[in-house]
Amino acid sequence: MSENQFDVVVVGAGLSGLSAARRLQKRNPQLSVLVLEARDRVGGRTVSKDLLAANGVDQWDMGGQWVSSSQTHVMELIRELGLEVFPQYTEGKKVHHVGGPHAKIKTYTSSMPSYSPLALLDFTQVLWRIDHLTQTISVEDPMSSPNAELHDSMTLHTFMEKYVWTTQVKEELALCSRIVFGLEASQVSFLYFLMYSAAAGGTLRLLETTPGSGQEFRVKGGTQQLSEKLVEQIGKERVRLGSAVMTICQNSENIKVTTSAGTVTCKAVIVACPSHLAAQIRYEPALPAERQRLTQCLPIGHMTKFIVTYPTAFWKQRGFSGEIVARPSENCPLSVTFDATSPRGSPALVGFITGVQARDWCDRKMEERRDAVISSLVKYLGPEASTYIHYEEKDWAKEEWSGGCPVNVMTPGMLTYYHPSLRKPFGSDYTRQHFRFIGPAQRRLPNGVDTLMEPFRPVRGRLWRSWLRCVLLLCPRRNWTQCELL
Amino acid sequence: MSENQFDVVVVGAGLSGLSAARRLQKRNPQLSVLVLEARDRVGGRTVSKDLLAANGVDQWDMGGQWVSSSQTHVMELIRELGLEVFPQYTEGKKVHHVGGPHAKIKTYTSSMPSYSPLALLDFTQVLWRIDHLTQTISVEDPMSSPNAELHDSMTLHTFMEKYVWTTQVKEELALCSRIVFGLEASQVSFLYFLMYSAAAGGTLRLLETTPGSGQEFRVKGGTQQLSEKLVEQIGKERVRLGSAVMTICQNSENIKVTTSAGTVTCKAVIVACPSHLAAQIRYEPALPAERQRLTQCLPIGHMTKFIVTYPTAFWKQRGFSGEIVARPSENCPLSVTFDATSPRGSPALVGFITGVQARDWCDRKMEERRDAVISSLVKYLGPEASTYIHYEEKDWAKEEWSGGCPVNVMTPGMLTYYHPSLRKPFGSDYTRQHFRFIGPAQRRLPNGVDTLMEPFRPVRGRLWRSWLRCVLLLCPRRNWTQCELL
């Protein structure tokens, strides 16, 4: 084959794209695979960076950083690639400052903040209600869950209005939406929220640092290594950087993929970039209307991540774990922080400005955000917070080839009306011949076309199989759900 | 100036873009303006077509076709361009087939279908409730309306679940969403629905054919003439067809606009294409995060329009007006029809397959849809419906440079969090110097930038001023609200 002719082209050298390429090569070493990446690096929303720290220079993840023992696929990959994980530091008091503008700063060491009796009752009943609903959700086929259509016709905010009694718990849930999705509760389909929780094994798992939860482990040396090591396995010559895909034209013969750096032809394409970016590629023939509408309503979250390095882990000395959950206000941009001390022992904190706060703060000067973050840390953890070594931040919304983080989210109606198109391959007979049709879980579509791919599988831990969902168009939104790396 | 250098470039030769260009030229004849259009024709979502008919060949609008006396700007333009309107035919019985799978086909001649006493009571209370809320809406600044945030955090469907008692009226409202937006009630922000109704002067106006309502008049010779005559005024050499805009790069000197047919430079750009298409253009520097998120959540409706020509207007002979409102079912794809007899007297019916039905039917063969439409017409209007001359249809979702119709709609949270970015110009000092800052109605944004433009003005009839809303980025979604052409 010529140097610009391949069997399969993968769009996007993030975790999804690279593991798709590797999997294809493993299955069939004869297959020629090329991965195209718009940026000048691999890793997508994982990127590791050297920062000034107590031990000179040390490394932190500016993107996805956490993995969990319940995410078996990514844990398997980490082992396979010879990488190591280490637990998130959780000892000591957690700071909790939620519950209206006059809320007091509280600390706690158990798994639950100290609520007033009414708020505790409210929190318990809401969590019971959500978990009860979560248990009825089919993550394989969410629309087969009881009351699926009703739950998809309302927002998470509507659920809160209906079932949450206290301002305190309303604020908790609103924060939960910002921290988990980077979007407000009024933007998210309630069914999508339930499905997301179900995929994680429960709502609390999305937020906690306990075993099996989303913030359980970090990867020594950073998560970008996962992608870098995948590239080594695939072959460096199989990954082309600086190649933003602009058009994908299929005809009966082959598929022509035009990038900012040239054109390649192939027999199948796996689009493994976030759905809102997949929507910016021009397709000939055009994608089905259903699919187009789907990607028109999968907004991506907005989060700014910051790392602050310190000469000493003063919070540990003061008996704090470093975990803060705060109601963002005019002077306090942050929603949540954790200890981020490096495996080599360089003390640091990590935190996030999320959702509408990320929007409100993103156009200010870095110095303003930094000073506001530092003064919030002083307020919650003590005056030593002001003597930091380095403040580093990353607003993923400003990365052209990410546009935001951590995930693309479904607005109401998307699961009901357009969701099956997410994993439905489009065009190319080659796809039909070479990709296994796995399960009948997907509902038959009106036009009678069955999916060729594995049933939708956002179950935690199954990340590394999920790329198979869709051959022409694979969007890694779901992967992140499972991966829960950030 | 060279042939590829202009003061202002307008992206999109639809009604918005062309009237923007004309207005600029009128204000300042020295200004060099260029309109870029991706298609090989002007008119955007208005297009007129010759069809076989009783009088040989006659012309029908396959896109937007209605205007109203309450839409004063478009009416003024029609007069100015020397065009004429004629009233929508409304005499006779209307057919109404709504209210669950076992509903009976009913006819009525008043303005309201004959409901059961309970449904009537329900309909009255819901309409009263909506109209009451509509009257509190500020169309200039929707977020200043009472309970704006609450109403924007829920879908139209959530409102229905809460306040509508009967299946009959629920179905009516669901149909209303499909007919007006081409989307389901679960996809639309309730506040957006209220604002849309308020802009039209009330919910019923969106649906009716009475004076002042959305379906009051048609334009003799078709609505595409509006655009064609605008081109004559602007100058044919000022409009370049077949020029799909791919990138807009601003630097301190000028703006470079790259199209599929070459590159032009200018000092300001007005993007006057639907918002989901504006989102597909690559901007350098990137648009603000707020603006990007906005266009990620403005899905466009899905409608297939059909025209059926007949040797005689048999429905008139049978005492029908031609208006049918039907609950779409497996065998009946249509939601609504009207008489479409031409000014020259060629009998015809016009109708729409909308929302989820448009999705379900769009991948079938044209013949299947045609046969299903015809057999529905037979069921509602009589056996003569089967002896048609010609069936013509247009699925706007399949037009690459439309992607759907009639409008882009806001999902929950968009008005609350991102809406101001719709009319906020971006970059280019030229804009600041040359475009008038009109009103203080827009809220000040966190970064302190004021709008240079007129306050958001979706009020009916004000279409032809609204393009001023945003200079770098004008999306005509709102125009359609006011124009109500389809």
Coordinates of all heavy atoms in Angstrom, one line a residue, chain A residues 64-117:
Chain A
G64 N -7.1 14.9 32.9 CA -7.6 13.7 33.7 C -6.5 13.1 34.5 O -5.3 13.0 34.1
Q65 N -6.8 12.8 35.8 CA -5.7 12.3 36.7 C -6.1 11.1 37.5 O -5.2 10.5 38.1 CB -5.2 13.5 37.6 CG -6.2 13.9 38.7 CD -5.5 14.8 39.7 OE1 -5.0 15.9 39.3 NE2 -5.5 14.4 41.0
W66 N -7.4 10.9 37.8 CA -7.8 9.8 38.7 C -8.3 8.6 38.0 O -8.9 8.6 36.9 CB -8.9 10.3 39.6 CG -8.5 11.2 40.7 CD1 -7.7 10.8 41.8 CD2 -8.8 12.6 40.9 NE1 -7.6 11.9 42.6 CE2 -8.2 13.0 42.1 CE3 -9.5 13.5 40.1 CZ2 -8.3 14.3 42.6 CZ3 -9.6 14.8 40.6 CH2 -9.0 15.2 41.8
V67 N -8.0 7.4 38.5 CA -8.6 6.2 38.1 C -9.1 5.4 39.3 O -8.8 5.8 40.4 CB -7.6 5.3 37.3 CG1 -7.1 5.9 36.0 CG2 -6.3 5.0 38.2
S68 N -9.8 4.4 39.1 CA -10.5 3.7 40.2 C -10.4 2.2 40.0 O -10.4 1.7 38.8 CB -11.9 4.1 40.3 OG -12.7 3.2 41.0
S69 N -10.3 1.5 41.1 CA -10.3 0.0 41.0 C -11.5 -0.6 40.3 O -11.5 -1.7 39.8 CB -10.1 -0.6 42.4 OG -11.2 -0.1 43.2
S70 N -12.6 0.2 40.3 CA -13.8 -0.3 39.7 C -13.8 -0.1 38.2 O -14.6 -0.6 37.5 CB -15.1 0.5 40.3 OG -15.0 1.9 40.0
Q71 N -12.8 0.6 37.7 CA -12.6 0.8 36.2 C -11.6 -0.2 35.7 O -10.4 0.1 35.5 CB -12.1 2.3 36.0 CG -13.2 3.3 36.4 CD -12.6 4.7 36.6 OE1 -11.4 4.9 36.6 NE2 -13.5 5.6 36.9
T72 N -12.1 -1.4 35.6 CA -11.2 -2.5 35.4 C -10.4 -2.5 34.1 O -9.2 -2.9 34.1 CB -12.0 -3.9 35.4 OG1 -13.1 -3.8 34.6 CG2 -12.5 -4.2 36.9
H73 N -11.0 -1.9 33.1 CA -10.3 -1.9 31.8 C -9.0 -0.9 31.9 O -8.0 -1.3 31.4 CB -11.2 -1.4 30.7 CG -12.1 -2.5 30.2 ND1 -12.9 -2.4 29.1 CD2 -12.3 -3.8 30.7 CE1 -13.6 -3.5 29.0 NE2 -13.2 -4.3 29.9
V74 N -9.3 0.2 32.4 CA -8.1 1.2 32.5 C -7.1 0.7 33.4 O -5.9 0.8 33.2 CB -8.6 2.6 32.7 CG1 -9.0 2.8 34.2 CG2 -7.5 3.6 32.4
M75 N -7.5 0.0 34.5 CA -6.6 -0.5 35.5 C -5.7 -1.7 34.8 O -4.5 -1.8 35.1 CB -7.3 -1.1 36.7 CG -8.0 0.0 37.6 SD -6.8 1.3 38.2 CE -6.2 0.5 39.6
E76 N -6.4 -2.4 34.0 CA -5.7 -3.5 33.3 C -4.7 -2.9 32.3 O -3.5 -3.4 32.2 CB -6.8 -4.3 32.5 CG -6.4 -5.7 32.1 CD -7.6 -6.3 31.3 OE1 -8.7 -6.4 31.9 OE2 -7.4 -6.6 30.1
L77 N -5.1 -1.9 31.6 CA -4.2 -1.2 30.7 C -2.9 -0.6 31.5 O -1.8 -0.7 31.0 CB -4.9 0.0 30.0 CG -4.1 0.6 28.9 CD1 -4.0 -0.2 27.6 CD2 -4.6 2.0 28.6
I78 N -3.2 0.0 32.6 CA -2.1 0.5 33.4 C -1.1 -0.6 33.8 O 0.1 -0.4 33.6 CB -2.7 1.2 34.7 CG1 -3.4 2.6 34.2 CG2 -1.6 1.5 35.7 CD1 -4.2 3.2 35.3
R79 N -1.6 -1.7 34.2 CA -0.8 -2.8 34.5 C 0.0 -3.3 33.3 O 1.2 -3.5 33.3 CB -1.6 -4.0 35.1 CG -1.6 -4.1 36.6 CD -2.2 -5.4 37.0 NE -3.5 -5.7 36.4 CZ -4.7 -5.2 36.9 NH1 -4.7 -4.5 38.0 NH2 -5.8 -5.6 36.3
E80 N -0.7 -3.5 32.2 CA -0.1 -3.9 31.0 C 1.0 -3.1 30.5 O 2.0 -3.5 30.0 CB -1.2 -3.9 29.9 CG -1.7 -5.3 29.5 CD -2.6 -5.1 28.3 OE1 -2.1 -5.0 27.1 OE2 -3.8 -5.1 28.5
L81 N 0.8 -1.7 30.7 CA 1.8 -0.8 30.2 C 2.9 -0.6 31.2 O 3.8 0.2 31.0 CB 1.2 0.6 29.9 CG 0.1 0.6 28.7 CD1 -0.5 1.9 28.6 CD2 0.7 0.1 27.4
G82 N 2.9 -1.3 32.3 CA 3.9 -1.3 33.3 C 3.9 0.0 34.2 O 4.9 0.4 34.7
L83 N 2.7 0.6 34.3 CA 2.6 1.8 35.1 C 2.1 1.4 36.5 O 1.6 0.3 36.7 CB 1.7 2.8 34.4 CG 2.2 3.3 33.1 CD1 1.1 4.2 32.4 CD2 3.5 4.1 33.2
E84 N 2.2 2.4 37.4 CA 1.8 2.2 38.8 C 0.8 3.2 39.2 O 0.9 4.4 38.8 CB 2.9 2.2 39.7 CG 3.7 0.9 39.9 CD 4.9 1.2 40.8 OE1 4.7 1.3 42.0 OE2 6.0 1.3 40.3
V85 N -0.1 2.8 40.1 CA -1.0 3.8 40.7 C -0.7 4.0 42.2 O 0.0 3.2 42.8 CB -2.5 3.4 40.6 CG1 -2.9 3.3 39.1 CG2 -2.8 2.1 41.3
F86 N -1.1 5.1 42.7 CA -1.0 5.3 44.2 C -2.3 6.0 44.7 O -2.9 6.7 43.9 CB 0.3 6.1 44.5 CG 0.2 7.5 44.0 CD1 0.0 8.6 44.9 CD2 0.5 7.8 42.6 CE1 0.0 9.9 44.4 CE2 0.5 9.1 42.2 CZ 0.2 10.2 43.0
P87 N -2.6 5.7 46.0 CA -3.9 6.2 46.4 C -4.0 7.7 46.6 O -3.0 8.3 47.0 CB -4.2 5.5 47.7 CG -2.8 5.1 48.2 CD -2.0 4.9 47.0
Q88 N -5.1 8.3 46.3 CA -5.4 9.7 46.7 C -5.3 9.8 48.2 O -5.8 9.1 49.0 CB -6.8 10.0 46.2 CG -7.4 11.4 46.7 CD -6.5 12.5 46.1 OE1 -6.1 12.5 45.0 NE2 -6.3 13.6 47.0
Y89 N -4.6 10.9 48.6 CA -4.4 11.1 50.1 C -5.8 11.6 50.6 O -6.3 12.6 50.1 CB -3.3 12.2 50.3 CG -3.1 12.5 51.8 CD1 -2.3 11.7 52.6 CD2 -3.7 13.7 52.3 CE1 -2.1 12.0 53.9 CE2 -3.5 14.0 53.7 CZ -2.7 13.1 54.5 OH -2.5 13.4 55.8
T90 N -6.2 11.0 51.7 CA -7.6 11.4 52.2 C -7.6 11.6 53.7 O -8.7 11.8 54.2 CB -8.6 10.2 51.9 OG1 -8.1 9.0 52.4 CG2 -8.8 10.1 50.4
E91 N -6.5 11.4 54.4 CA -6.5 11.5 55.8 C -6.7 12.9 56.4 O -6.2 13.9 55.8 CB -5.2 10.9 56.4 CG -5.3 9.4 56.6 CD -3.9 8.8 56.6 OE1 -3.1 9.3 57.5 OE2 -3.6 7.9 55.8
G92 N -7.5 13.0 57.4 CA -7.7 14.3 58.1 C -9.1 14.9 57.8 O -9.9 14.3 57.2
K93 N -9.2 16.2 58.2 CA -10.5 16.9 58.1 C -10.7 17.3 56.7 O -9.8 17.8 56.0 CB -10.5 18.1 59.0 CG -10.4 17.9 60.5 CD -10.4 19.2 61.3 CE -9.0 19.8 61.2 NZ -8.8 21.0 62.0
K94 N -12.0 17.2 56.3 CA -12.4 17.8 55.0 C -13.2 19.1 55.3 O -13.9 19.2 56.3 CB -13.3 16.8 54.3 CG -12.7 15.5 54.0 CD -13.7 14.5 53.5 CE -13.1 13.1 53.5 NZ -14.2 12.0 53.3
V95 N -13.0 20.0 54.4 CA -13.7 21.3 54.6 C -15.0 21.3 53.8 O -15.0 20.9 52.6 CB -12.8 22.5 54.2 CG1 -13.5 23.8 54.3 CG2 -11.5 22.5 55.1
H96 N -16.0 21.8 54.3 CA -17.3 21.9 53.6 C -18.0 23.2 53.9 O -18.2 23.6 55.0 CB -18.2 20.7 54.2 CG -19.4 20.4 53.4 ND1 -20.7 20.8 53.8 CD2 -19.6 19.8 52.2 CE1 -21.5 20.5 52.9 NE2 -20.9 19.8 51.9
H97 N -18.2 23.9 52.8 CA -18.8 25.3 52.9 C -19.9 25.4 51.9 O -19.7 26.1 50.8 CB -17.7 26.3 52.7 CG -18.1 27.7 53.0 ND1 -17.6 28.8 52.5 CD2 -19.1 28.1 53.9 CE1 -18.1 29.9 53.0 NE2 -19.1 29.5 53.8
V98 N -21.0 24.9 52.2 CA -22.2 24.8 51.3 C -23.4 25.1 52.1 O -23.5 24.8 53.3 CB -22.3 23.4 50.7 CG1 -23.5 23.3 49.7 CG2 -21.0 23.0 49.9
G99 N -24.4 25.8 51.5 CA -25.7 26.0 52.1 C -26.1 27.5 52.2 O -26.3 28.0 53.3
G100 N -26.1 28.1 51.1 CA -26.6 29.5 51.0 C -25.5 30.5 51.4 O -24.4 30.1 51.9
P101 N -25.7 31.8 51.2 CA -24.7 32.8 51.3 C -24.2 32.9 52.8 O -23.1 33.4 53.0 CB -25.3 34.1 50.8 CG -26.8 33.8 50.8 CD -27.0 32.3 50.6
H102 N -25.0 32.5 53.8 CA -24.6 32.6 55.2 C -24.1 31.3 55.8 O -24.0 31.2 57.0 CB -25.8 33.2 56.0 CG -26.4 34.4 55.3 ND1 -25.6 35.6 55.2 CD2 -27.6 34.7 54.8 CE1 -26.4 36.5 54.5 NE2 -27.5 36.0 54.3
A103 N -23.8 30.4 55.0 CA -23.4 29.1 55.5 C -22.1 29.3 56.3 O -21.2 30.1 55.9 CB -23.2 28.1 54.4
K104 N -21.9 28.4 57.3 CA -20.6 28.5 58.0 C -19.7 27.4 57.4 O -20.1 26.4 56.9 CB -20.9 28.1 59.5 CG -21.5 29.2 60.3 CD -21.7 28.9 61.8 CE -22.5 29.9 62.5 NZ -23.2 29.4 63.6
I105 N -18.4 27.7 57.6 CA -17.4 26.7 57.2 C -17.4 25.6 58.2 O -17.2 25.8 59.4 CB -16.0 27.3 57.1 CG1 -16.0 28.5 56.1 CG2 -15.0 26.3 56.6 CD1 -14.7 29.3 56.1
K106 N -17.6 24.3 57.7 CA -17.6 23.2 58.6 C -16.5 22.2 58.2 O -16.1 22.2 57.0 CB -18.9 22.5 58.5 CG -20.1 23.3 59.1 CD -21.4 22.6 59.1 CE -22.5 23.4 59.7 NZ -23.8 22.8 59.6
T107 N -16.0 21.4 59.2 CA -15.1 20.4 58.8 C -15.7 19.0 59.3 O -16.5 19.0 60.2 CB -13.7 20.6 59.5 OG1 -13.9 20.6 60.9 CG2 -13.1 21.9 59.0
Y108 N -15.2 18.0 58.7 CA -15.7 16.6 59.1 C -14.7 15.6 58.7 O -13.8 15.8 57.8 CB -17.1 16.3 58.4 CG -17.0 16.2 56.9 CD1 -17.1 15.0 56.3 CD2 -16.9 17.4 56.1 CE1 -17.1 14.9 54.9 CE2 -16.9 17.3 54.8 CZ -17.0 16.0 54.2 OH -17.0 15.9 52.8
T109 N -14.7 14.4 59.3 CA -13.8 13.4 58.9 C -14.5 12.1 58.4 O -13.8 11.3 57.8 CB -12.9 13.0 60.2 OG1 -13.8 12.8 61.3 CG2 -11.9 14.1 60.5
S110 N -15.8 12.0 58.7 CA -16.5 10.9 58.2 C -16.7 11.0 56.7 O -16.1 11.9 56.1 CB -17.9 10.8 58.9 OG -18.6 11.9 58.6
S111 N -17.6 10.2 56.2 CA -17.8 10.3 54.7 C -18.9 11.3 54.4 O -19.2 11.6 53.3 CB -18.3 8.9 54.2 OG -19.5 8.6 54.7
M112 N -19.5 11.9 55.5 CA -20.6 12.8 55.2 C -20.4 14.1 56.0 O -20.1 14.0 57.2 CB -21.9 12.1 55.7 CG -23.1 12.9 55.2 SD -24.2 11.9 54.1 CE -25.1 11.0 55.3
P113 N -20.7 15.2 55.4 CA -20.6 16.5 56.1 C -21.6 16.5 57.3 O -22.6 15.8 57.2 CB -20.9 17.5 55.1 CG -20.9 16.8 53.7 CD -21.1 15.4 54.0
S114 N -21.3 17.4 58.2 CA -22.3 17.5 59.4 C -23.4 18.4 59.0 O -23.2 19.6 58.9 CB -21.6 18.0 60.6 OG -20.9 19.1 60.3
Y115 N -24.6 17.8 58.7 CA -25.8 18.6 58.3 C -26.6 18.9 59.6 O -26.5 18.2 60.6 CB -26.6 17.8 57.3 CG -26.0 17.6 56.0 CD1 -25.8 16.4 55.4 CD2 -25.7 18.8 55.2 CE1 -25.2 16.2 54.2 CE2 -25.1 18.6 53.9 CZ -24.9 17.4 53.4 OH -24.4 17.2 52.2
S116 N -27.5 19.8 59.4 CA -28.6 20.0 60.4 C -29.5 18.8 60.3 O -29.5 18.2 59.2 CB -29.3 21.3 60.1 OG -30.1 21.1 58.9
P117 N -30.3 18.5 61.3 CA -31.2 17.3 61.3 C -32.1 17.3 60.0 O -32.2 16.3 59.4 CB -32.0 17.4 62.6 CG -31.1 18.2 63.5 CD -30.3 19.2 62.7

